Amino acid sequence: MGGYGLSGTADWLESLGLHPGQRWAPIAGLGEFGGGMLTAGATAMGIVLTEMQMPVAPETQQKVSSELQGQEASARSANV
């Protein structure tokens, strides 16, 4: 479907600090696929499966945001 596949997803998960990415990538993919299929079938369980992945999002977003802020600060000091 034009995505980066399991290895690309695993690398991305590793970059977010979710180790080991090779283990989490298929789990995330199955959760997304299963949740999508059940949601398409208009079942409440599909929505639950899709949303089960969301508790990880705030922690991951905070980590990525702080890393990006650090990179921006480094870039600003290098340009001065």
Side-chain angles (χ1 to χ4, degrees):
M1 299 185 99
Y4 293 102
L6 285 177
S7 63
T9 302
D11 292 342
W12 177 70
L13 290 171
E14 293 260 342
S15 75
L16 295 176
L18 299 171
H19 302 283
Q22 292 294 330
R23 183 182 339 158
W24 287 113
I27 293 169
L30 287 173
E32 288 284 334
F33 178 77
M37 293 301 289
L38 291 172
T39 300
T43 65
M45 184 56 87
I47 296 167
V48 170
L49 281 176
T50 304
E51 293 300 318
M52 281 175 56
Q53 300 172 40
M54 288 292 102
V56 176
E59 179 181 323
T60 304
Q61 178 61 38
Q62 182 179 11
K63 180 179 187 243
V64 170
S65 292
S66 64
E67 287 178 3
L68 288 176
Q69 288 173 357
Q71 290 174 1
E72 289 172 0
S74 294
R76 278 193 301 269
S77 64
N79 289 331
V80 173

